[in-house]
Amino acid sequence: MKRNVILVILAGLSLLLAQVALSQNESTGPSMVELWQKSGHANPQSSSFTHWNDEGEIPVSCAACHSGEGFRAFHGIDGSSVGVIDKPVATGGVVDCATCHDDGVKQLEQILFPSGAAIAAHDGSATCLTCHQGRQSGPDLDQRTTGLPDDEVNSELSFVNPHYALAAATLFGTEVKGGYEYPGRDYAGKFSHVEAYSTCIDCHEPHSTQVTLDNCTSCHKVDELRDIRTSKLDFDGDGDVTSGIYAEISALHEKLLSAIEAYAETVSEAPIAYAKQYPYFFHAETEPTYANRYNAWTPALLRAAYNYQFIGMDKGAYAHNPHYAVQLLHDAITDLADRTNATNIEIGPRP
């Protein structure tokens, strides 16, 4: 009898221990390293890391964000001068663990943006802010065009590319002036969200970089992030106020390209086309090669094209700062439309 009782107790304990072990395994899930290995940051075959393989080293102007070694050198974490990279950085690296976890990263108090604005680095955001801020800013456009007639082609002007994956520049809006902001207009600052989801790693799993989707959809009651919408204003002028804000921004983005094409044909008198390869704007009906890059820029056209690219290079602009995105697109469209007396491009109100 006692033996049977003991066996029952042991069986129960074994089952309990198995359940605990299973629960722990399910709760821990993939390790940090496994999550990181699935991210673009860890992909050694990505063009972000292989682009300079033929040269054998990464240019000092690019190395801060295209290798962990370069990042640590740029911020002086390796003992070198702060804000510059004073030695070549070899290819073959990725955004490694130390890029975010080195003790020196925790000591970074602020990050400078291309406009010169300094943003406080907290809650593990220093690495994100450094490498997702773009390479240009709105004020750079003013520096290139000050004193030039807005609607005259100038052969010395060339397209200004804001760079890629510039979520931080979108997020902080006019505080860092990542987009071109038209004179006399007000622009949104940092996108205000609930406190629990106000930093990069509140919304993105820091190792895989994937968006923590359930945290968004459970509150907003939608199936997809792109369906989120809180404003009832019809920004793109199509009469639909039920689609997600992503659809509004996408429609305005398309309308800006139409305005750019109309302006180039009527004012610059040189039709323009866009392609998803460097340097992005080309003479229409030509092969998209560097030799055929667009070169009939006016200051007004250059500013609008910059904003078109700025929004296009942040695929999450609708989540990072939707009001700033709509404002940049709206103002660029209306500026070009006014200059061409266009009446065929309809948009809605500006936030």
Side-chain angles (χ1 to χ4, degrees):
M1 180 68 176
K2 288 183 178 180
R3 184 173 181 274
N4 290 339
V5 171
I6 292 173
L7 289 175
V8 170
I9 292 174
L10 289 175
L13 286 173
S14 298
L15 179 60
L16 178 61
L17 290 172
Q19 290 176 333
V20 170
L22 179 61
S23 175
Q24 288 178 335
N25 186 57
E26 290 177 346
S27 64
T28 55
S31 69
M32 290 187 295
V33 172
E34 290 172 328
L35 290 170
W36 169 76
Q37 288 174 331
K38 295 178 180 179
S39 75
H41 288 165
N43 181 6
Q45 303 306 316
S46 168
S47 61
S48 298
F49 307 118
T50 63
H51 184 76
W52 304 275
N53 279 359
D54 290 343
E55 291 83 356
E57 63 183 43
I58 306 171
V60 294
S61 60
C62 304
C65 295
H66 292 274
S67 76
E69 180 185 349
F71 178 87
R72 291 183 286 279
F74 178 76
H75 284 297
I77 296 171
D78 63 353
S80 62
S81 300
V82 177
V84 295
I85 298 177
D86 51 18
K87 61 180 180 180
V89 176
T91 55
V94 294
V95 178
D96 53 28
C97 301
T99 309
C100 297
H101 293 285
D102 190 288
D103 288 340
V105 178
K106 301 174 185 177
Q107 306 304 316
L108 298 176
E109 297 181 352
Q110 64 179 20
I111 301 298
L112 288 178
F113 277 66
S115 64
I119 296 296
H122 53 78
D123 298 327
S125 63
T127 306
C128 309
L129 299 185
T130 298
C131 294
H132 291 282
Q133 59 175 250
R135 294 287 303 275
Q136 306 288 342
S137 67
D140 291 324
L141 276 294
D142 283 331
Q143 291 178 8
R144 287 169 166 80
T145 61
T146 296
L148 300 178
D150 282 343
D151 299 312
E152 287 187 13
V153 173
N154 189 307
S155 61
E156 295 185 3
L157 293 177
S158 59
F159 177 60
V160 179
N161 184 28
H163 212 52
Y164 316 107
L166 31 71
T170 311
L171 175 66
F172 284 93
T174 194
E175 294 181 29
V176 300
K177 299 189 180 303
Y180 181 78
E181 301 178 4
Y182 287 81
R185 307 309 301 263
D186 293 327
Y187 290 87
K190 183 186 178 184
F191 181 52
S192 296
H193 202 254
V194 294
E195 186 175 354
Y197 299 102
S198 58
T199 70
C200 306
I201 59 176
D202 287 337
C203 299
H204 293 265
E205 202 292 321
H207 300 98
S208 71
T209 73
Q210 294 300 305
V211 176
T212 52
L213 183 62
D214 291 345
N215 293 336
C216 304
T217 56
S218 61
C219 180
H220 287 281
K221 306 303 180 185
V222 295
D223 294 326
E224 300 290 340
L225 283 178
R226 292 180 174 184
D227 294 333
I228 293 174
R229 183 193 188 109
T230 58
S231 175
K232 293 301 181 182
L233 293 177
D234 178 22
F235 298 121
D236 63 1
D238 67 353
D240 180 7
V241 293
T242 61
S243 59
I245 193 64
Y246 170 84
E248 298 280 327
I249 292 172
S250 295
L252 287 172
H253 196 236
E254 292 177 4
K255 290 185 178 186
L256 176 53
L257 182 58
S258 296
I260 288 171
E261 292 169 342
Y263 178 96
E265 184 170 359
T266 59
V267 179
S268 296
E269 298 182 345
I272 194 172
Y274 182 84
K276 293 182 178 180
Q277 63 187 68
Y278 186 83
Y280 304 103
F281 287 97
F282 304 88
H283 286 280
E285 299 183 3
T286 66
E287 290 294 321
T289 63
Y290 188 77
N292 293 326
R293 66 192 181 280
Y294 195 76
N295 60 5
W297 296 103
T298 71
L301 183 59
L302 191 66
R303 297 171 193 135
Y306 177 87
N307 276 2
Y308 179 83
Q309 184 78 342
F310 182 86
I311 298 303
M313 288 297 106
D314 182 7
K315 302 305 181 184
Y318 68 96
H320 296 141
N321 201 333
H323 286 167
Y324 189 62
V326 170
Q327 289 167 344
L328 293 178
L329 294 171
H330 184 285
D331 292 349
I333 292 169
T334 55
D335 182 69
L336 293 188
D338 288 345
R339 295 176 185 279
T340 57
N341 296 316
T343 59
N344 62 333
I345 299 178
E346 296 183 1
I347 57 176
R350 181 185 190 274

